[in-house]
Amino acid sequence: MFAVKLLITLTITFGFVFVWQRGYPESLFMDDGNYVVVFAFLFILLTFIKLYGGFKIGVFRMHELWYSLGIAIVFTNFIMYMILSLIAREMLLPWWILGGTVFQIILTGINVYAANSIYFSLYSSRHILAIYSGDEHGRETIRKMSCIPERYTIDKALSIRNRSMKNIKREIDKYKAVLICDFDQTKKDDVLRYCYEKRKRIYLLPSSTDIILSSAYQSQVFDTPILMCRNYGLTMEQLVVKRAMDIIVSLIMLICASPIMLITAIAIKLCDGGPVFFKQNRVTRDGEIFNVLKFRSMIVDADKDGVRGASNNDSRITPVGKIIRACRVDELPQLINVLRGDMSLVGPRPERTENVYTYTEKYPDFNLRHRVKGGLTGYAQIYGKYNTSPEDKLNMDLIYIEKYSTFLDIKLLFMTFKILFMKESTEGFEEKPKETNQEKGKESK
């Protein structure tokens, strides 16, 4: 696999070198300076590949892998084009670099297909026993993993209800991997210890407490090891840097996006004559409520029959709304919220007050995500979907809070570019959940 990744890197690099030498001879050096340019290209390329997960062969689906590498190539070539123009002391014609970018992406697609084929010939799908409590979240997790048969083969979904631990362990012995969903902690600990003892691969669906403990600091009190969770939240230095970044970046983005926002506002007004903006109460840090701003993508009084989330092919969404929702343009006015201090650029997505009350009643830990200010983008927006379950959103937001750093904020901002044109990230709620094969026939009663 290292050789495959090296081949992908060299293919992209040689494509750039060919374009550089043929298209921009005025930016070539007479000596070893050319090696510095190639080194700079490699450094920038590998940084973006790492950022967007372009080498996650066998983890990402093939189209997402190609998409990730494509974005890395576009950003790298743009930066290198600017560098070459500086070296030549003039703005170079962009046609060579544009053509080279298309050629690199096509070749990369071929390499990605070959890389995936090689990976799955080397590493076959694992046969997994899924253990869950019979709840909807567990069933949904099993369904999602079953959608990637080249990586996971869930042969049996075992409900832990009214089942003895002896019987569960006997089933575990038949498999090399076990998916452990969230259920009674005592039984969960017993299953984990047994899988560890028998050297079974474990896929764990974490609870909020698992995520909190994952960032614990290991300490020692004489001969006794202990885990310490500081739980301070963001330090004063982090808060200052985060706020400064919010102001600077949101101001720049507002200036750059102003033409798009003006066109969008005109289009919404011409569509049905209704208001351009949509205001809604949202909950942010420490339970504070504020009005979030969005471009209106639904008909006027869309919630007159009751508040509900948007579903696929929702009749309330206007023609203009379908376009701006798909491109995330409807979220741009929230840059004003960021500038005013209502929100941050990165953080847990602020939910509607009605949703917070409902989710907190069902998941008491849901309020833990309000330890930091709500964000325009975040972990759940990048790695989840519009219709991701509240429990999964909570867990992803807790991962962000526990792993927070300025570098993570910068990384997530760059990652946001990746999801802008991914259809899955704007997928609405299904009107009717579908049964999985595991639920129909493979689940042990």
Side-chain angles (χ1 to χ4, degrees), residues 265-435:
I266 295 170
I268 292 171
K269 201 68 180 175
L270 291 175
C271 181
D272 60 8
V276 170
F277 294 111
F278 172 71
K279 294 181 181 180
Q280 192 176 64
N281 285 341
R282 296 289 178 103
V283 182
T284 185
R285 185 175 57 190
D286 298 328
E288 293 181 12
I289 298 174
F290 72 101
N291 272 326
V292 73
L293 282 174
K294 296 179 74 172
F295 280 124
R296 184 174 57 84
S297 60
M298 290 189 173
I299 59 174
V300 180
D301 298 327
D303 292 331
K304 64 181 180 180
D305 296 326
V307 177
R308 71 179 192 272
S311 61
N312 292 325
N313 303 316
D314 198 316
S315 60
R316 298 173 299 163
I317 301 175
T318 66
V320 173
K322 290 180 181 179
I323 298 171
I324 63 175
R325 286 170 73 94
C327 301
R328 302 294 180 93
V329 173
D330 61 323
E331 310 282 358
L332 286 177
Q334 289 167 54
L335 290 169
I336 299 170
N337 287 117
V338 174
L339 201 57
R340 291 194 312 202
D342 300 327
M343 297 170 59
S344 181
L345 285 169
V346 183
R349 190 75 179 129
E351 287 283 355
R352 292 188 296 199
T353 51
E354 299 89 349
N355 288 349
V356 171
Y357 298 144
T358 303
Y359 297 157
T360 305
E361 188 175 346
K362 190 173 183 180
Y363 311 108
D365 292 341
F366 195 78
N367 269 326
L368 294 176
R369 65 199 297 275
H370 297 140
R371 287 168 59 87
V372 297
K373 196 179 289 186
L376 183 61
T377 186
Y379 236 78
Q381 283 64 53
I382 291 166
Y383 296 105
K385 303 177 184 179
Y386 177 79
N387 60 358
T388 297
S389 71
E391 193 169 358
D392 283 333
K393 283 182 180 179
L394 166 62
N395 286 343
M396 284 188 280
D397 289 332
L398 286 177
I399 290 171
Y400 168 75
I401 292 169
E402 291 302 313
K403 292 186 176 181
Y404 174 79
S405 68
T406 302
F407 176 76
L408 178 60
D409 268 10
I410 295 170
K411 177 184 176 181
L412 293 177
L413 283 173
F414 274 101
M415 287 290 290
T416 303
F417 286 105
K418 177 181 173 179
I419 66 164
L420 285 177
F421 303 103
M422 291 179 67
K423 185 179 178 182
E424 302 99 294
S425 61
T426 57
E427 186 178 314
F429 293 97
E430 291 289 346
E431 297 293 347
K432 185 180 179 181
K434 296 178 181 178
E435 272 193 306

Side-chain angles (χ1 to χ4, degrees), residues 213 215-220 226-230:
L213 288 174
S215 62
Y217 174 75
Q218 193 275 324
S219 186
Q220 200 78 17
I226 63 170
L227 295 177
M228 178 182 67
C229 298
R230 290 189 172 90

Side-chain angles (χ1 to χ4, degrees), residues 176-190:
K176 292 184 178 180
V178 179
L179 166 64
I180 302 174
C181 297
D182 198 19
F183 47 83
D184 177 74
Q185 192 62 46
T186 303
K187 290 184 177 180
K188 191 175 180 180
D189 290 342
D190 201 357

Side-chain angles (χ1 to χ4, degrees), residues 114-221:
N116 254 27
S117 300
I118 292 169
Y119 180 90
F120 290 116
S121 66
L122 292 172
Y123 308 106
S124 59
S125 173
R126 294 184 181 276
H127 293 267
I128 301 171
L129 168 69
I131 304 175
Y132 75 121
S133 65
D135 63 316
E136 182 59 36
H137 191 215
R139 280 197 294 269
E140 181 64 13
T141 302
I142 294 167
R143 186 192 69 80
K144 288 176 183 176
M145 291 184 73
S146 299
C147 290
I148 316 174
E150 62 271 18
R151 287 186 61 201
Y152 312 110
T153 301
I154 298 185
D155 291 330
K156 192 171 188 178
L158 186 69
S159 175
I160 204 164
R161 291 178 181 173
N162 303 319
R163 194 175 292 274
S164 69
M165 191 54 62
K166 184 178 180 181
N167 181 271
I168 293 169
K169 290 177 179 178
R170 191 162 51 243
E171 289 294 333
I172 291 173
D173 289 336
K174 301 175 185 177
Y175 297 88
K176 292 184 178 180
V178 179
L179 166 64
I180 302 174
C181 297
D182 198 19
F183 47 83
D184 177 74
Q185 192 62 46
T186 303
K187 290 184 177 180
K188 191 175 180 180
D189 290 342
D190 201 357
V191 170
L192 275 167
R193 279 193 294 268
Y194 189 76
C195 289
Y196 183 79
E197 176 191 341
K198 296 297 181 179
R199 302 177 185 273
K200 306 292 183 181
R201 173 167 289 208
I202 298 171
Y203 299 94
L204 179 67
L205 185 63
S207 64
S208 55
T209 51
D210 292 328
I211 295 169
I212 292 169
L213 288 174
S214 68
S215 62
Y217 174 75
Q218 193 275 324
S219 186
Q220 200 78 17
V221 178

